[in-house]
Amino acid sequence: MTHARPDSLGVLDRFPMTHSDQTIARFLAAAFVAGPLVADEMATRGARMLGRRWRWLTRLALRVSEEFQHGPRPRRATVEEFLLGDSVFHKACERHELEIANYSITAQMCPVDAARNWPVPPLCTFADTADWLNVRSRELEWFADLRGLAARASHQKLRHYHYRTLSKRFGQVRLIEAPKLRLKEIQRQILREILDAIPAHNAAHGFCAGRSIKTFAAGHVATSVVLRMDLRDFFPSISRAQVEAVFRSVGYAESVANVLAGLCTNCAPDDIWDGVEVPVQQLRSVIARYARPHLPQGAPTSPALANLCAYRIDCRLAGLAESAGATYTRYADDLAFSGGDEFRRSAKRFSQHASAIVMDEGFDVNHRKTRIMQSGARQRLAGIVVNAHTNVPRKDYDRLKAILVNCLRSGPQSQNRDQHADFRAHLNGRVAYVELINPPRGKKLRELFRRIDW
């Protein structure tokens, strides 16, 4: 049986609460969420908190367990709210003079069922987290910045990120938030030892080991129709609360999940937008979006966390695609669907259903980039042509080949028109990309590259 959680006004109307009720609820909620949401274990922790194993504790623990056991470890405040609206709890407070006998209950790891075998470090307290990251507690508080003090700091040295704005089409702007060295090292440790141990959805191909932009596109080769959709402002749309939920799902207590999420999210200062040429109304919206705690585009942890926060949307879109006889893959903010003649006939209606799911999950679709591409025209995903096999566009291949030929004839410096600091590495990367997408063509370009006199 599931018990609805009344809002705060309903609680006040239904139960005349005293300060003692609220205090007991707060500490009892902390005891309940300190470990697994198993009724008997919760009652044991509650008894340790109250100094006695009251008979009603087991019934109350069972009601809390039924409400919250299917999902990540709940917040203490959420359980406290539930207790303040529960009849069993209020009858106990009325009948007994309850007191707090033990103000501290050591938290335990409490992962969701799917996470029980993930090899993540067992961090049970804030102090454990500081030791694991090899920083002092005060430093950890400063780096996590849960109060958003860095965004209000006037001096750049007190901020944890370097900022750079990039103009996009249609008056849009993208903010690159690059963490400073020490915070970047901390984020890399979180990525390497926690996030890399958590599997993303099978449909996610961006920033996943063993998957790439080619595997993202390969599932849509030689199909009757390809539907391409794009998520608007993917990284800044993901909130700190969503990131905290990921870490609580792993099994971390609220204090640990909060500080890990703080280390991986950021609030951008208002003054970084000075001089950005964007329409005033649009700029206000951008400033408000980035001022909220969000995933910073530029942090090493953000791609992995974005994939994990998008797990629900991947599940729902994959299910929708399967019901329509289609294939679904995602590469960061690029969504791709494809199928045969049956899917071709319903592609437009399907895109509307997919958009509704995206919005329901808290994201926005960039409708300007939505494309329904038939097999008779060029079908392109993330810059890769997928009509017959994965391929780079002809003009891109011809342009790169011309650059390599001119490097052979006139020397590489004659072709470095954009003044790349390491032009050889730049060209090597472009050739490697073609090798990945179309190995035969990439082999021809690689032969030209090897003959260049650097």
Side-chain angles (χ1 to χ4, degrees), residues 149-435:
L149 299 179
R152 299 193 293 270
S154 58
H155 202 290
Q156 173 62 31
K157 289 185 177 180
L158 298 178
R159 296 176 178 176
H160 299 308
Y161 290 82
H162 297 291
Y163 299 95
R164 180 164 57 97
T165 57
L166 301 175
S167 297
K168 301 167 63 178
R169 291 192 299 172
F170 310 113
Q172 295 179 331
V173 63
R174 172 177 294 171
L175 179 65
I176 303 299
E177 302 163 87
K180 294 180 180 178
L181 181 60
R182 186 67 184 96
L183 179 58
K184 182 182 289 188
E185 291 174 349
I186 290 173
Q187 290 173 342
R188 283 175 174 163
Q189 183 173 344
I190 295 172
L191 173 65
R192 184 174 60 252
E193 300 187 34
I194 298 179
L195 300 180
D196 282 350
I198 308 175
H201 192 278
N202 290 335
H205 289 256
F207 320 108
C208 297
R211 306 178 206 171
S212 66
I213 195 168
K214 182 177 182 179
T215 62
F216 159 70
H220 308 283
V221 167
T223 54
S224 295
V225 64
V226 175
L227 167 62
R228 184 183 74 207
M229 302 177 70
D230 180 84
L231 300 180
R232 189 196 309 272
D233 298 322
F234 183 47
F235 284 90
S237 295
I238 297 174
S239 67
R240 180 176 291 169
Q242 291 172 282
V243 177
E244 289 171 358
V246 169
F247 287 117
R248 292 203 311 276
S249 296
V250 173
Y252 293 127
E254 185 174 340
S255 60
V256 176
N258 288 354
V259 75
L260 290 175
L263 293 168
C264 299
T265 55
N266 182 46
C267 303
D270 292 347
D271 58 21
I272 64 173
W273 304 103
D274 295 344
V276 175
E277 296 181 1
V278 174
V280 175
Q281 194 63 34
Q282 192 169 335
L283 183 59
R284 287 176 182 168
S285 175
V286 171
I287 292 175
R289 183 181 304 114
Y290 281 97
R292 296 189 292 265
H294 62 276
L295 282 186
Q297 187 165 349
T301 46
S302 290
L305 281 169
N307 278 338
L308 298 176
C309 290
Y311 192 89
R312 266 181 56 90
I313 194 173
D314 286 336
C315 288
R316 295 182 66 182
L317 291 177
L320 180 68
E322 184 178 2
S323 69
T327 298
Y328 163 66
T329 59
R330 179 178 60 82
Y331 189 88
D333 55 0
D334 287 328
L335 313 180
F337 308 86
S338 66
D341 291 338
E342 182 180 353
F343 181 64
R344 177 175 55 80
R345 288 190 291 269
S346 62
K348 186 172 183 180
R349 186 171 68 254
F350 179 92
S351 70
Q352 295 170 350
H353 289 300
S355 295
I357 289 176
V358 168
M359 293 178 64
D360 188 50
E361 291 296 327
F363 296 93
D364 290 323
V365 174
N366 188 346
H367 293 288
R368 291 178 182 271
K369 294 186 177 181
T370 298
R371 296 287 186 275
I372 298 176
M373 299 168 285
Q374 309 288 343
S375 57
R378 175 183 288 180
Q379 297 171 323
R380 185 169 173 174
L381 294 172
I384 299 176
V385 178
V386 296
N387 289 72
H389 52 82
T390 56
N391 203 359
V392 294
R394 181 75 196 191
K395 66 176 183 179
D396 293 348
Y397 173 80
D398 289 344
R399 186 181 298 118
L400 179 54
K401 182 179 179 181
I403 291 174
L404 294 172
V405 170
N406 288 334
C407 285
L408 279 170
R409 293 175 177 172
S410 307
Q413 288 307 313
S414 67
Q415 301 301 303
N416 190 11
R417 297 184 176 89
D418 293 330
Q419 301 301 309
H420 293 283
D422 191 340
F423 188 51
R424 180 175 184 174
H426 169 74
L427 280 185
N428 183 55
R430 292 179 63 180
V431 171
Y433 174 76
V434 178
E435 288 178 313

